Amino acid sequence: MTDLHRDILIGLTFIMGILGFISGEFIVSTIMFGSAALFSNMLLNRSSHD
């Protein structure tokens, strides 16, 4: 997976979290925000170790 694909994945999960929060789906938005944070931290930790 390239850096562009990872950035798109993180961006889409964040946007889905925002849309879920606006529509009242708080469980879905929490999962989306959490997964965006996890993927972002995994990407940052991987690039700092290389």
Side-chain angles (χ1 to χ4, degrees):
M1 185 178 271
T2 64
D3 289 337
L4 176 65
H5 289 112
R6 288 185 190 131
D7 290 341
I8 290 171
L9 177 67
I10 292 169
L12 285 176
T13 54
F14 185 73
I15 290 170
M16 287 174 57
I18 291 172
L19 293 175
F21 184 77
I22 290 171
S23 68
E25 297 290 332
F26 298 115
I27 295 173
V28 173
S29 67
T30 302
I31 292 171
M32 290 295 119
F33 283 134
S35 62
L38 283 174
F39 285 135
S40 178
N41 284 330
M42 287 172 37
L43 178 64
L44 287 174
N45 287 336
R46 180 179 290 168
S47 64
S48 68
H49 290 291
D50 288 341

